[in-house]
């Protein structure tokens, strides 16, 4: 028995994990990067082990001895060196792995709690779809109007394909770094490897720009949704039939043209019929204004939520995002069925309701699409949890296809169903829900869905901005309540200011999308690919020209947003 134990002790710890002789890691030691995150401590002293049934358990003496042995080998090298990582044969089975608790106990779990192997392909696909679907979906009909009908369809398909390819380059960027284990790297780590501190801080800057831009869009939209919801409630309580004194259509399914520039539209002007005196109504308008008061009311709700240390409570409401998109899909189908299609493509005679195939304002749609298809700063994290890593490219492509299909569905149906005549397609608003009156029940339900979803997502975005900014500056995501409060007040102040003076969600989406897209989508993935090919001696003229052209497209996309 003693001889057997001595033989066990003489067995090398550094034995291959996989059978593929070409899969070499550091110091030519074979290992599977997918297993690295599952190798967690499995012993705690004193050994209070809490299972799901709260049964007290003890760690065996063998496990305690092996735990000390592994700790000894870990101290022989630096934490970044994985040459002496514990192989599979010395670790307990996955069902016997424990997770530490800050309270000094360890919780028994079933399988690995962190890393690869969690989600099936279908879950990964819809996770990417749900993450990518955002406020840009509300601007798709307006974007098609700005680009022209046929040109808009082509741009959605082309931009979706280009964004997918650049996202593919982001996913593959880690694998092109030789002799280094990059299994735990994110894209900013790759940027730091190739471009040093400049790459790290510039990627951080553009990532924060995308987050703050999204938070500004959310604040503008939340002000809009809260205003229209309050207006709907006031109308219902006081029996006000119609409150929108703007051109619109008659009938059960009304569509309005709220822009001041369209005051001469031939549509019927909707009047206001109410059983409330004018003084009360004027008082309501004074205290319930979309630009003067409602943006400030949101501060009382959202500023305290931004100061939460952990966003885990809000993450539980992620399903509201999926429910909102599903309801929007239903709403679009319902409106299109009731309104019918209104398209006029006659090129030979002048017509006020003529639908152009191409318009010079098409870069406004490309700016919106850059943010609409943007997931490049977190795609590596999402794909890490895919059970079948070999299907990452396929699953990412399917997710992009579904997102593009959803954008086309919403954009085309709303554009085609917009009643022209009597109204013009130019009446389509940057938020297509604004084309339906405040007393429209189905649109009110959509606004309520989106309002509650954004109230729960907004603190998550704030937390991400805090992690990236304060984490890099202070090394702590919550250095003090003062620092966190100053950052949150600044972010809220930007949102309130934009909601008051520039409530233009299309413009905000365009600028933030084109700005962050220039680095994360077009420049860094292309440059990293060119450099890696050059270092390996595989760079060709065709690859160089194609990826320089992609960079030029991104730069032109950004410049065009400020020229239109």
């Amino acid at each position: 028995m003693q001889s057997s134990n001595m033989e066990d002790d003489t067995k090398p710890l550094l034995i291959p994990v996989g059978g593929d002789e070409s899969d070499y890691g550091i110091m030519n030691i074979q290992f599977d990067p997918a297993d690295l995150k599952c190798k967690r401590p499995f012993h705690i002293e004193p050994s209070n082990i809490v299972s799901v049934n709260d049964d007290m358990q003890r760690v065996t003496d063998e496990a305690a001895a092996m735990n000390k042995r592994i700790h000894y080998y870990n101290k022989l090298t630096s934490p970044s060196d994985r040459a002496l990582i514990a192989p599979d044969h010395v670790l307990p089975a996955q069902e016997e792995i424990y997770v530490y608790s800050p309270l000094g106990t360890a919780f028994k779990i079933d399988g690995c709690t962190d890393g690869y192997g969690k989600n099936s392909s279908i879950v990964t696909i819809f996770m990417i779809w749900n993450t990518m679907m955002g406020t840009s979906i509300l601007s798709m009909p307006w974007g098609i109007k700005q680009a022209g009908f046929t040109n808009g369809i082509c741009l959605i398909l082309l931009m979706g394909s280009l964004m997918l390819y650049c996202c593919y380059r982001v996913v593959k960027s880690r694998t092109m770094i030789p002799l280094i284990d990059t299994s735990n790297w994110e894209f900013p780590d790759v940027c730091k490897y190739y471009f040093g501190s400049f790459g790290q801080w510039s990627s951080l800057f553009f990532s924060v720009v995308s987050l703050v831009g999204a938070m500004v869009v959310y604040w503008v939209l939340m002000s809009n949704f809260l205003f229209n919801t309050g207006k709907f409630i006031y109308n219902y309580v006081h029996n006000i039939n119609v409150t929108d004194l703007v051109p619109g259509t008659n009938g059960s399914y009304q569509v309005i043209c709220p822009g001041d520039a369209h005051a001469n539209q031939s549509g019927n002007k909707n009047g206001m019929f109410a059983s409330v005196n004018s003084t009360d109504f004027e008082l309501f308008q004074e205290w319930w204004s979309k630009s003067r008061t409602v943006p400030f009311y949101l501060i009382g709700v959202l500023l305290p939520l931004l100061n939460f240390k952990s966003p885990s409570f809000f993450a539980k409401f992620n399903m509201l995002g999926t429910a909102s998109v599903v309801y929007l899909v239903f709403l679009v189908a319902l409106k299109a069925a009731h309104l019918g299609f209104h398209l006029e493509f006659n090129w030979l005679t002048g017509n006020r309701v003529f639908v152009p195939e191409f318009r010079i304002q098409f870069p406004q749609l490309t700016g919106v699409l850059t943010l609409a298809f943007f997931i490049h700063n977190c795609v590596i994290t999402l794909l890490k949890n895919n059970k079948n890593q070999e299907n990452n490219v396929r699953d990412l492509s399917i997710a992009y296809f579904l997102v593009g299909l959803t954008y086309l569905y919403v954009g085309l149906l709303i554009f085609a169903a917009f009643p022209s005549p009597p109204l013009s397609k130019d009446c389509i608003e940057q938020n297509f829900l604004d084309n339906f009156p405040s007393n429209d029940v189905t649109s009110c339900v959509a606004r309520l869905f989106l309002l509650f979803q954004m109230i729960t997502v907004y603190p998550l975005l704030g937390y991400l901005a805090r992690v990236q900014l304060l984490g890099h500056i202070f090394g702590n995501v919550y250095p003090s309540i003062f620092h966190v409060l100053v950052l949150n007040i600044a972010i809220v102040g930007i949102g309130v200011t934009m909601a008051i003076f520039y409530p233009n969600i299309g413009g905000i989406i365009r600028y933030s999308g084109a700005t962050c897209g220039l680095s994360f989508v077009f420049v860094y993935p292309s440059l990293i690919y060119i450099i890696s090919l050059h270092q390996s001696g595989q760079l060709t003229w065709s690859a160089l020209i194609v990826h320089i052209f992609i960079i030029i497209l991104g730069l032109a996309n950004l410049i065009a947003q400020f020229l239109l």
Side-chain angles (χ1 to χ4, degrees):
M1 188 70 178
Q2 184 176 0
S3 174
S4 175
N5 290 337
M6 292 180 61
E7 291 177 0
D8 291 339
D9 289 338
T10 60
K11 290 182 179 179
L13 281 177
L14 305 178
I15 65 173
V17 173
D20 187 358
E21 295 181 355
S22 63
D23 184 20
Y24 289 97
I26 303 171
M27 298 175 57
N28 290 334
I29 297 169
Q30 297 176 353
F31 66 96
D32 185 2
D35 293 332
L36 294 178
K37 283 193 171 185
C38 288
K39 292 176 171 53
R40 292 288 189 261
F42 56 93
H43 173 65
I44 186 169
E45 295 182 17
S47 53
N48 283 334
I49 307 302
V50 183
S51 70
V52 293
N53 296 321
D54 292 331
D55 295 330
M56 301 301 292
Q57 300 183 18
R58 286 277 179 181
V59 176
T60 63
D61 294 336
E62 291 80 6
M66 185 57 65
N67 179 68
K68 294 178 180 178
R69 185 180 182 186
I70 291 174
H71 278 287
Y72 168 73
Y73 277 97
N74 288 341
K75 292 179 180 179
L76 297 179
T77 60
S78 63
S80 60
D81 189 354
R82 299 187 179 274
L84 297 183
I85 191 169
D88 287 338
H89 77 286
V90 303
L91 293 178
Q94 283 193 354
E95 62 270 12
E96 297 297 328
I97 294 179
Y98 301 92
V99 176
Y100 280 108
S101 166
L103 300 178
T105 58
F107 292 88
K108 184 177 180 180
I109 58 168
D110 293 327
C112 181
T113 62
D114 191 9
Y116 298 90
K118 280 185 179 181
N119 301 326
S120 63
S121 289
I122 190 68
V123 173
T124 302
I125 289 170
F126 279 97
M127 185 183 300
I128 296 175
W129 174 83
N130 187 41
T131 304
M132 209 183 310
M133 297 297 298
T135 56
S136 302
I137 192 174
L138 300 174
S139 297
M140 284 300 148
W142 173 82
I144 292 177
K145 177 201 73 174
Q146 296 299 99
F149 184 75
T150 303
N151 188 42
I153 297 175
C154 294
L155 284 177
I156 292 177
L157 297 176
L158 291 175
M159 283 295 294
S161 302
L162 179 60
M163 297 285 286
L164 170 60
Y165 174 75
C166 294
C167 196
Y168 166 78
R169 292 264 61 95
V170 170
V171 173
K172 291 297 183 180
S173 62
R174 300 182 305 164
T175 63
M176 305 190 73
I177 299 177
L179 304 178
I180 297 178
D181 173 29
T182 60
S183 59
N184 293 327
W185 284 23
E186 298 290 342
F187 191 58
D189 299 317
V190 179
C191 294
K192 182 179 180 180
Y193 173 84
Y194 282 101
F195 307 111
S197 59
F198 172 79
Q200 178 186 15
W201 287 101
S202 59
S203 62
L204 170 66
F205 170 78
F206 287 111
S207 181
V208 172
V209 166
S210 66
L211 288 172
V212 174
M215 295 180 75
V216 170
V217 173
Y218 270 41
W219 200 280
V220 174
L221 285 174
M222 284 187 293
S223 300
N224 181 309
F225 297 151
L226 181 60
F227 169 78
N228 282 287
T229 301
K231 196 175 177 183
F232 175 85
I233 295 174
Y234 184 87
N235 295 343
Y236 180 80
V237 171
H238 294 88
N239 195 27
I240 299 178
N241 296 324
V242 181
T243 61
D244 300 291
L245 288 168
V246 292
T249 61
N250 286 326
S252 303
Y253 309 103
Q254 294 180 341
V255 178
I256 61 175
C257 186
D260 293 336
H262 312 293
N264 294 324
Q265 295 287 342
S266 61
N268 298 296
K269 296 244 178 160
N270 293 326
M272 178 180 65
F273 305 94
S275 59
V276 61
N277 63 63
S278 59
T279 303
D280 291 342
F281 184 72
E282 291 173 358
L283 185 64
F284 170 76
Q285 287 186 313
E286 180 181 353
W287 289 98
W288 197 256
S289 171
K290 184 189 294 186
S291 60
R292 294 193 303 270
T293 61
V294 173
F296 291 98
Y297 296 156
L298 287 171
I299 298 178
V301 177
L302 294 174
L303 185 58
L305 298 181
L306 285 175
N307 295 304
F308 277 35
K309 284 189 176 182
S310 172
S312 57
F313 172 76
F314 305 103
K316 298 176 182 178
F317 297 93
N318 188 49
M319 61 173 296
L320 287 176
T322 304
S324 300
V325 175
V326 170
Y327 182 79
L328 279 178
V329 169
F330 164 77
L331 175 65
V332 167
L334 182 66
K335 294 296 183 183
H338 289 157
L339 296 172
F341 290 164
H342 303 267
L343 296 172
E344 176 60 62
F345 296 106
N346 191 352
W347 288 80
L348 301 179
T349 60
N351 193 328
R352 185 180 61 82
V353 295
F354 167 71
V355 177
E357 303 288 344
F358 175 87
R359 296 183 71 176
I360 197 63
Q361 295 94 336
F362 73 90
Q364 295 181 346
L365 176 58
T366 62
V368 171
L369 291 173
T370 307
L371 191 62
F373 286 108
F374 183 75
I375 199 175
H376 300 63
N377 60 343
C378 62
V379 65
I380 292 177
T381 302
L382 293 175
L383 290 177
K384 277 182 180 179
N385 291 322
N386 196 356
K387 182 183 298 183
N388 302 310
Q389 290 290 298
E390 67 277 7
N391 296 334
N392 278 347
V393 176
R394 184 202 67 182
D395 296 344
L396 181 65
S397 302
I398 294 175
Y400 260 86
F401 172 77
L402 293 177
V403 170
L405 192 65
T406 307
Y407 287 152
L408 279 173
Y409 170 85
V410 173
L412 290 181
L413 282 187
I414 291 295
F415 181 87
F418 193 85
S420 174
L423 303 176
S424 169
K425 299 291 187 184
D426 285 331
C427 288
I428 297 178
E429 291 293 308
Q430 296 177 359
N431 171 10
F432 76 83
L433 292 177
D434 287 342
N435 286 116
F436 301 106
S438 58
N439 62 346
D440 184 89
V441 177
T442 55
S443 301
C444 181
V445 173
R447 293 185 182 105
L448 271 177
F449 261 119
L450 292 169
L451 177 61
F452 283 110
Q453 178 214 354
M454 291 180 180
I455 288 176
T456 58
V457 172
Y458 190 85
L460 293 176
L461 296 176
Y463 177 79
L464 292 176
R466 188 170 80 217
V467 166
Q468 296 192 9
L469 196 58
L470 299 185
H472 278 78
I473 296 176
F474 299 100
N476 187 348
V477 300
Y478 206 95
S480 70
I481 185 62
F482 173 77
H483 292 95
V484 173
L485 191 58
V486 169
L487 175 63
N488 292 336
I489 290 176
I491 294 176
V492 167
I494 296 174
V496 172
T497 302
M498 299 299 287
I500 294 174
F501 297 104
Y502 191 73
N504 184 340
I505 67 164
I508 300 172
I509 291 174
R510 284 165 40 212
Y511 296 136
S512 60
T515 301
C516 65
L518 177 64
S519 61
F520 271 99
V521 177
F522 301 107
V523 174
Y524 283 151
S526 298
L527 282 181
I528 289 173
Y529 186 59
I530 291 173
I531 294 173
S532 62
L533 288 180
H534 175 71
Q535 292 176 344
S536 62
Q538 300 176 354
L539 181 62
T540 62
W541 279 106
S542 59
L544 180 63
I545 293 173
V546 167
H547 289 86
I548 289 179
F549 180 67
I550 291 177
I551 296 175
I552 294 174
L553 284 179
L555 185 61
N557 183 42
L558 176 61
I559 296 174
Q561 307 308 316
F562 296 93
L563 298 180
L564 296 175

